[in-house]
């Protein structure tokens, strides 16, 4: 088994549905999906905030806004080193988000 | 392999990110997650619109609004039989949505 059936197992409780929805909202944005894509495809699975503006074609404040939403949702780690902040995927939450969808049909 | 790496394979193109985000937005709502949960856990993987209001604690117009978003996003099939409409999961899209998240870390 590669996934834990979730949606189809029993009626989702309101509180579970709300916390799941919060995480889905965090990924339900084209720029945030592209940020996750850049970070997860980078060699160290870590990306400096300074390397995101250019590939995304967005200004620094907009990039920071999206990064904050992903950090607040528990999907990204943020580590300040010197002048810059570095972002990496938190292991687990994206997989468990996926698991709620897979095996449900 | 139970999943196709997607987010982590290469930088998501803007158009792909936009269509993915549209589907994630459709599931990024507690009531819609509960609707998917009810339908996928029902014995025939199909649910009459008349059986959704009560477990969700929502009025019929609100239920219909959420169902329309899920149908428009390609996640649910709608079949009218007699007086009522019946909803079932479209096979595939939830799995492929999940696959964009799994294997990306």
């Amino acid at each position: 088994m590669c996934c834990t059936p979730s949606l189809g197992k029993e009626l989702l409780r309101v509180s579970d549905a709300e916390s799941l929805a919060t995480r889905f909202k965090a990924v339900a944005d084209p720029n945030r999906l592209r940020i996750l894509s850049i970070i997860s495809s980078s060699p160290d699975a870590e990306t400096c905030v300074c390397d995101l503006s250019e590939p995304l074609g967005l200004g620094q404040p907009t990039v920071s806004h999206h990064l904050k939403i992903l950090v607040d949702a528990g999907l990204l780690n943020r580590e300040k080193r010197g002048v810059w902040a570095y972002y990496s995927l938190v292991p687990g939450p994206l997989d468990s988000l996926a698991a709620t969808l897979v095996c449900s049909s």
Side-chain angles (χ1 to χ4, degrees), chain A:
Chain A
M1 274 293 281
C2 61
C3 53
T4 310
S6 177
L7 277 185
K9 220 162 64 175
E10 54 190 30
L11 177 56
L12 266 185
R13 285 178 304 178
V14 174
S15 59
D16 292 342
E18 281 169 355
S19 65
L20 265 177
T22 302
R23 289 203 159 162
F24 277 119
K25 272 177 201 155
V27 300
D29 175 276
N31 289 316
R32 294 197 288 277
L33 283 167
R34 297 184 86 216
I35 288 172
L36 292 172
S37 161
I38 292 171
I39 295 174
S40 49
S41 61
S42 66
D44 308 326
E46 185 189 71
T47 304
C48 175
V49 64
C50 56
D51 291 326
L52 286 168
S53 279
E54 195 252 308
L56 293 168
L58 297 173
Q60 192 62 57
T62 308
V63 172
S64 295
H65 162 78
H66 288 303
L67 285 167
K68 184 178 185 318
I69 290 170
L70 291 167
V71 171
D72 289 349
L75 301 176
L76 288 185
N77 281 315
R78 177 184 190 276
E79 196 188 326
K80 192 89 189 287
R81 291 205 297 273
V83 183
W84 298 110
Y86 292 79
Y87 291 85
S88 57
L89 289 187
V90 176
L94 283 182
D95 290 346
S96 65
L97 209 53
T100 63
L101 301 176
V102 176
C103 306
S104 65
S105 55

